[in-house]
Amino acid sequence: GKDDADLITGKAWSESQHIEQRLLDLTEHIGYVIQKYLLDRYPTIAEYNAKVGEIAEPYRLLVVCDFPTKFNKDAAERLRTIVENGPRCGIFTIILADPTAERPSDFDFANLLSHLERVATVVAVQNGRLVWKEEDFQESTLTLDVPPSIALSERIVDKVSEGAKKTKEVQVPFSKIAPLRTEWWQAASNGGLSIPLGPRDAQEIQSLVLGQGTAHHALVAGRVGSGKSTLLHTIITGAALSYTPDELELYLIDFKQGVEFKVYATNELPHARVIAVQSEREFGLSVLQGLDAELKERGDRFRAAGVENITNFRAKTHEIMPRILLLVDEFQEFFTEDDTIASQSGLILDRLVRQGRAYGIHILLGSQTLAGSYSLTRSTIDQMGVRIALQCSADDSEIILGRNNTAARLLSRPGEAYYNDANGMIEGNFRFQVAWLPDEQRDTYLWAVREMAEQQHYRPKHPQIVFEGNEPADVKKNRSLRAIAAGDGHSETARTALAWLGEPIAIRDHIAATFRRQSGSNLLIITQNDEAALGMIATALISLAAQVASVARDGASTMSVLDFSATDGPYAEYLAHLTERLPCPVAFGRRRQLPDIIAALATEVQRRIDDDDTSAPTRYLILYGLHRARDLRQEEASFSFSSYGEESPAANPAQQLGTILREGPDVGIHAVVWCDTMTNLNRAVDRRGLREFAMRVACQMNAEDSTALIDVPAASKLGPYRALFQDEEAGRLEKFRPYSIPSEGWLTETLQRVRERQSVLDD
């Protein structure tokens, strides 16, 4: 309402330096409008506005009270310029001057006042009456209207404010700048990229141009609500409409907490090689490392072909090597901590920016602010030839556009931006309005692009990589497990087996625990999230079952599952139903069956040791919910199950489990155990017993428990859908996203593949 800073500036400027700055802003605006919009084409802003429609330049009103109080010579000169040239540019001035005020010493006030009176309409007080100093009205008395009541004034201002806000919602339809339907996928990226952004003026469209001259990479900055997200969607959608996936590959990384880029995964945008939603720094670094490897590979190919850049390479080899555009929103997340991720990211980004231009690799980095200590080095920023500034502070305007180039601070509406590809020089500023692309319209375009790819039988050279940091991992994306289920590359006599747990925060193979016939080859999972634990246990169980399905032909159980699920939980019967479907012998039990199952495994361990049986098939104990297994607590045993004494014939389950953990891995019997907290784990496993788990999964926990489990407090910094996997044998500690509980469709398909493989082996 009446306090809206977009309608009326946030305060009345009363200090000399503030007055001078406000007048400087207006004189800069006059210069820009004349040079960029009017020139000799339009007499006034009114004619220009009639041509441009949605992006019409708003009018401005300057009110000066008690002139010349607090005015100096420079401010007075700027006021004169505004009064003379402002009306043509839509700036109008009201001045309340006091001829009796103390005269400034640094300029001729009387001369200036006389000059202003010659170019302005003057209302003066003469002999106690208001006189309109026009020839036709010299003898008339001007009587002002009675001011409205306070209540009416407030209603008027509120109504005007409401209307003013609506006028600021400038929406230039994306369809006005998008390529025509007949032009889709017709552009060639051989000489660079040109992607429409929005109208610059009545006649021109501003485009993002990369790969020409010094314009190879771009920086984008804009505060919250400035229209930065709309700009990025406009770039991605415009690029997808203009270029085929063979001409342009997109790598999309979003570090924000929103899900801006998920739509491109949902619509299977064929151009997108990588799509990261709510990304992690580790994943972002892995993307940079992948592009760094691509840079080196292209360099080798260019040298072999005897060329120096992508244009010449394509001309000489006739191979359509796609240009690559890496787009990172809130890129400063790379640098929020002073660690190896920050240093490696900075080095790789600098290398990509400096060398990528020749190899067709372009970088676009976006952020709400570039100020602060967490950012790219100045030398890297200086290599970014294209700068796009939406509404932002004066400091950010200088950082992104160039030193002493603070034009972006004057932008007044969402989507309004400056484009500069002239090394930040003020004369290189071009103001434009980002085209408006509603979600439903964007989805329509993306659906059409996907349909076009299907019609042209386009098949990507590489599978699309999607990282969704706001969700658990999906096991159906695990191609390695799919291959093993089908028997590809799997040996029935293999001495190791993999239990997959989740998706890495990096572009590489999924995280798996590797079981070997050696001491300590057991897996411990600590998390208070029952669903996360079940997701990891279930996928581990399925993947292990797929690898041992046809080993045990004598009917002996290769999998022993002890289920201590909460009886009233939503997944109380999940493991029971799952084990019934596994294509291998399974001994399943709950508390009542625990003594027999544990005793049978402990006896088998001892038999293998006594017989020195190294060829017996691998077996696994899956213990889901150690914290609920009271019979396995140390206080229930006469001594800790991790004791290394000889087991007596009357050993209880806790002691027998100790034997399995300690002696089992060497003879091919391994354990996968889930417990909810370190406190409950300590009731069943002492410090010596913990050593029998060389592989450990830590989900979110306090720093003390994290240090006790994995020797570092890193698990205290984990968020939802995150875990750390430690493998002491490999010296590895890696963050990952645990799998969600497998879907029924994936489960049915995978188990069917295993049975088909098993049937072939039986034949």
Side-chain angles (χ1 to χ4, degrees), residues 178-186 241 445 448-449 451-452 455:
L180 299 174
R181 183 65 178 83
T182 55
E183 298 173 347
W184 288 6
W185 283 20
Q186 297 301 309
L241 293 175
Y445 279 117
V449 168
E451 186 179 56
M452 189 160 53
Q455 291 173 350

Side-chain angles (χ1 to χ4, degrees), residues 382-508:
D382 289 342
Q383 296 291 319
M384 310 286 282
V386 176
R387 315 294 178 83
I388 302 176
L390 295 105
Q391 289 174 299
C392 59
S393 67
D395 289 341
D396 277 327
S397 181
E398 280 199 284
I399 294 173
I400 189 170
L401 291 178
R403 193 168 288 108
N404 298 322
N405 191 343
T406 62
R409 78 190 190 281
L410 300 176
L411 296 173
S412 60
R413 62 179 180 244
E416 191 178 23
Y418 276 107
Y419 184 98
N420 188 303
D421 60 1
N423 297 317
M425 293 187 295
I426 295 176
E427 54 268 33
N429 289 349
F430 285 93
R431 189 163 50 178
F432 71 99
Q433 181 70 34
V434 178
W436 174 244
L437 183 59
D439 293 350
E440 59 276 7
Q441 185 180 1
R442 179 192 60 208
D443 290 345
T444 299
Y445 279 117
L446 294 178
W447 180 85
V449 168
R450 184 177 65 181
E451 186 179 56
M452 189 160 53
E454 292 174 353
Q455 291 173 350
Q456 298 187 18
H457 306 291
Y458 171 77
R459 293 293 180 270
K461 297 177 182 177
H462 308 284
Q464 187 177 87
I465 298 171
V466 179
F467 178 88
E468 294 186 66
N470 58 331
E471 296 181 0
D474 190 344
V475 69
K476 71 180 181 182
K477 297 180 182 178
N478 189 331
R479 297 181 182 86
S480 298
L481 177 52
R482 181 184 178 90
I484 284 182
D488 298 339
H490 174 65
S491 171
E492 298 295 340
T493 60
R495 304 286 288 179
T496 62
L498 301 175
W500 276 279
L501 302 169
E503 186 176 308
I505 312 294
I507 300 178
R508 64 174 198 79

Side-chain angles (χ1 to χ4, degrees), residues 678-689:
M678 286 298 294
T679 299
N680 284 329
L681 178 71
N682 292 334
R683 293 177 178 176
V685 180
D686 62 14
R687 183 174 295 275
R688 293 178 65 190

